[in-house]
Amino acid sequence: MKYIPVIGLEIHAELLTKSKVFCGCANEFGGEENTRVCPVCSGMPGTLPVVNQGAVELAAKAGFALGCTVNNYSAFDRKNYFYPDLPKAYQITQFQYPICSDGIVRVCGKDIRINRIHIEEDAGKLIHDDAEGISMADYNRCGVPLIEIVTEPDFRCVEEVQAFVEEIARRLKYADVCDARMEQGSLRVDVNISIMPENTKEFGTRAEIKNLNSVRAIGRAIEYEITRQTNILEHGGRVTQETRRFNDRSGETASLRSKEEAHDYRYFPEPDIPPVFISEERLDRIKAEMPEMPNVRFERYTNEYGLLEDEARLIVEDKAFSDFYDETVGIYPAYKETSNLMLVELNRCLNDSNGKMSEIKFTPQMLAELVSMSDKRIVTKNAARDILAIMFETGSNPESIARENNLVMSTDTDELERIVEQVIAQNADGVESYKNGNEKIIGFLMGQIIRILGKSADMKKAKEILLEKIK
Ligand SMILES: [Zn+2]
């Protein structure tokens, strides 16, 4: 029998605030253990948490970025459970009244529904030392602000899930909500997955795979679960509802706890934190600060600018790169030429030098000048690439680079004619062969002309003269 997977996601994203969500401790990654902890985030009795308004605004931005309704009213609850990385023995989260609800994100031609986004605090980290047989607790991460994005079970294959996670990561980065560094754990994904026989409507029993930290791991864990659950059903068994862990080395998932052991969190309203009200005016202000989202840019690049989907995808991948492109074509609207120069030559320079967009020495204004010089045939396309590489090195302006390096296209027709005649004279055999129908020889003859003239040659004009003279 063929089975269809039914998948929903819970995505945890750490917010890019300066301080933690309920205290003044710094919100940073790494560093020495237990150096960013205070009585509030370590849950000492008698301390009072205060909501970080920066975290509230970033959560609202996440809502706008993912097409959600951002609610004027939300409230915090306590989720009670004991674990050594949680010194308070409860987590402050939003249960009944989340800050955002009902979003939609389109991937792979399909609308994926987001049920809710809520704010909560992260727990600490346990470091297991197998050699010593001990575990140590690091509370630096306690109280780091998180949002949890909960989707409906709308995914039916790995590709949809992976495309969605990549799109969410991109949008959160664009909005400066989260740096989405999955390898550092600032974006973590839980996958809920069940399978059902094809042509049925009733979902099967699901397993939850916790804390996947790469797009590849998500794909492998889902593939493994589909096979595992299919084998159980094919042998007449029943899938049990449980939480599982994915082992990146073996590529397998293993049971962490079953439903019988599942927590009863005994949520109740957090008595120390008043509800959060956000006025319409404040929401309007937050919304006005939102940058254009990558999906909107993608549509503009492909529909209005005529770029190929692959080109548009590569440009929007990085916001700084896409911003630079937008500024450049805003000054001189040669969409394709700018895209070519940036994706090929600029990316090559960045890769070779391990450089960052934020450190580039030239401005969009200067790139626009270069593109216009190429477009107006002041320099050839080849020369434009060389000039860009020099701009990248030196930050000089394209016009002086072209002049100093003899890359300005020659408009001297007399010289062109003289050189074409010289090449014809030196290649009598080639010309003869052309007259006998060998048109490919033109490429060879043009090569001889470029060799003498260099990259500043007006190739179009040279070819016209050549064809005219050997006709
Ligand atoms: Zn603290």
Side-chain angles (χ1 to χ4, degrees):
M1 198 186 300
K2 185 161 166 41
Y3 295 93
I4 310 281
V6 175
I7 304 164
L9 302 178
E10 290 166 20
I11 301 177
H12 286 95
E14 289 181 355
L15 301 176
L16 286 170
T17 52
K18 287 206 174 64
S19 54
K20 292 185 179 180
V21 62
F22 301 121
C23 66
C25 292
N27 172 21
E28 287 163 16
F29 179 79
E32 197 184 332
E33 291 83 5
N34 295 309
T35 52
R36 298 189 299 272
V37 191
C38 74
V40 174
C41 55
S42 59
M44 295 294 169
T47 54
L48 273 182
V50 176
V51 178
N52 180 340
Q53 289 303 315
V56 171
E57 301 211 346
L58 289 184
K61 280 190 174 176
F64 289 129
L66 306 183
C68 294
T69 303
V70 182
N71 300 311
N72 299 108
Y73 177 94
S74 64
F76 288 95
D77 300 273
R78 285 189 185 179
K79 178 181 180 179
N80 295 281
Y81 68 98
F82 172 76
Y83 202 71
D85 66 5
L86 186 74
K88 288 208 290 264
Y90 61 85
Q91 180 192 27
I92 303 175
T93 180
Q94 295 184 313
F95 184 57
Q96 212 180 347
Y97 300 104
I99 185 162
C100 310
S101 35
D102 302 323
I104 288 204
V105 170
R106 194 168 177 82
V107 289
C108 304
K110 178 174 172 180
D111 285 339
I112 303 295
R113 292 168 299 159
I114 291 170
N115 174 289
R116 57 189 276 148
I117 301 175
H118 59 257
I119 304 172
E120 60 187 27
E121 58 178 340
D122 210 344
K125 236 186 243 174
L126 291 184
I127 302 147
H128 306 288
D129 186 334
D130 291 336
E132 296 283 335
I134 55 166
S135 293
M136 292 168 287
D138 175 10
Y139 293 154
N140 279 347
R141 207 174 67 182
C142 283
V144 162
L146 290 180
I147 46 169
E148 180 173 339
I149 302 160
V150 183
T151 78
E152 298 293 347
D154 287 346
F155 304 95
R156 295 292 177 271
C157 64
V158 169
E159 292 70 30
E160 288 169 5
V161 174
Q162 289 179 325
F164 181 83
V165 171
E166 283 169 353
E167 179 67 17
I168 297 295
R170 233 179 343 257
R171 292 200 200 175
L172 294 182
K173 280 194 277 186
Y174 263 64
D176 261 330
V177 166
C178 171
D179 61 18
R181 291 190 180 135
M182 294 189 81
E183 72 289 353
Q184 289 186 356
S186 66
L187 191 85
R188 318 189 282 272
V189 178
D190 299 344
V191 170
N192 288 302
I193 174 169
S194 63
I195 58 171
M196 60 179 180
E198 203 176 24
N199 301 321
T200 54
K201 287 223 162 73
E202 201 176 326
F203 294 174
T205 307
R206 66 173 200 236
E208 181 181 23
I209 314 158
K210 283 288 209 189
N211 278 334
L212 295 161
N213 63 0
S214 75
V215 170
R216 184 160 174 267
I218 292 167
R220 292 170 72 210
I222 293 173
E223 299 288 6
Y224 180 84
E225 269 305 299
I226 293 172
T227 309
R228 185 185 72 88
Q229 294 184 18
T230 304
N231 279 336
I232 293 173
L233 296 185
E234 294 279 272
H235 291 86
R238 288 168 64 179
V239 175
T240 45
Q241 187 175 340
E242 61 185 352
T243 303
R244 300 180 70 86
R245 191 206 323 252
F246 177 68
N247 182 325
D248 216 8
R249 230 170 302 164
S250 66
E252 296 173 358
T253 66
S255 183
L256 268 177
R257 52 178 184 264
S258 70
K259 201 195 175 187
E260 284 70 41
E261 304 160 53
H263 298 292
D264 176 358
Y265 293 119
R266 296 189 180 273
Y267 284 97
F268 69 84
E270 164 61 59
D272 289 339
I273 303 176
V276 177
F277 293 98
I278 318 178
S279 67
E280 281 303 317
E281 293 73 37
R282 192 166 163 213
L283 284 182
D284 287 345
R285 203 243 315 134
I286 296 169
K287 202 172 191 174
E289 285 170 14
M290 294 287 295
E292 189 179 40
M293 285 292 111
N295 56 311
V296 179
R297 287 194 176 173
F298 178 86
E299 292 299 322
R300 175 156 54 83
Y301 293 169
T302 50
N303 293 339
E304 292 174 35
Y305 293 1
L307 300 188
L308 299 175
E309 289 194 358
D310 280 346
E311 295 171 326
R313 233 187 304 278
L314 286 169
I315 295 174
V316 301
E317 189 56 41
D318 178 58
K319 180 169 182 291
F321 195 86
S322 176
D323 286 346
F324 203 96
Y325 175 81
D326 274 345
E327 279 192 56
T328 306
V329 298
I331 297 163
Y332 189 84
Y335 307 118
K336 197 83 179 171
E337 179 73 19
T338 306
S339 156
N340 286 344
L341 272 173
M342 286 185 70
L343 287 176
V344 180
E345 195 57 32
L346 178 56
N347 265 339
R348 191 189 61 75
C349 294
L350 285 168
N351 287 338
D352 288 355
S353 65
N354 237 334
K356 291 199 192 88
M357 277 311 288
S358 56
E359 293 159 3
I360 280 191
K361 289 179 182 159
F362 60 88
T363 60
Q365 175 72 44
M366 288 156 79
L367 180 58
E369 275 168 36
L370 175 63
V371 174
S372 101
M373 282 162 68
S374 164
D375 204 35
K376 291 171 184 156
R377 298 175 49 75
I378 295 168
V379 297
T380 64
K381 284 193 163 58
N382 277 336
R385 274 203 283 270
D386 291 359
I387 293 168
L388 183 71
I390 300 171
M391 285 163 69
F392 187 85
E393 283 292 320
T394 63
S396 309
N397 75 64
E399 211 203 309
S400 55
I401 294 172
R403 240 183 306 107
E404 284 160 20
N405 294 277
N406 289 324
L407 289 169
V408 178
M409 201 190 292
S410 167
T411 48
D412 186 344
T413 318
D414 291 348
E415 195 203 4
L416 259 185
E417 286 204 20
R418 192 172 56 71
I419 285 168
V420 170
E421 274 165 15
Q422 180 190 328
V423 168
I424 289 172
Q426 285 166 349
N427 294 279
D429 291 353
V431 174
E432 193 57 37
S433 137
Y434 174 77
K435 285 181 177 155
N436 291 329
N438 179 10
E439 291 191 11
K440 282 188 192 141
I441 200 77
I442 291 295
F444 169 76
L445 295 173
M446 284 303 294
Q448 299 299 305
I449 296 168
I450 299 171
R451 213 162 50 85
I452 300 167
L453 283 170
K455 282 181 177 164
S456 60
D458 184 344
M459 298 305 298
K460 207 173 144 203
K461 189 89 196 158
K463 194 170 179 183
E464 279 170 24
I465 296 172
L466 176 67
L467 289 176
E468 180 62 34
K469 287 198 186 291
I470 63 174
K471 197 161 54 176

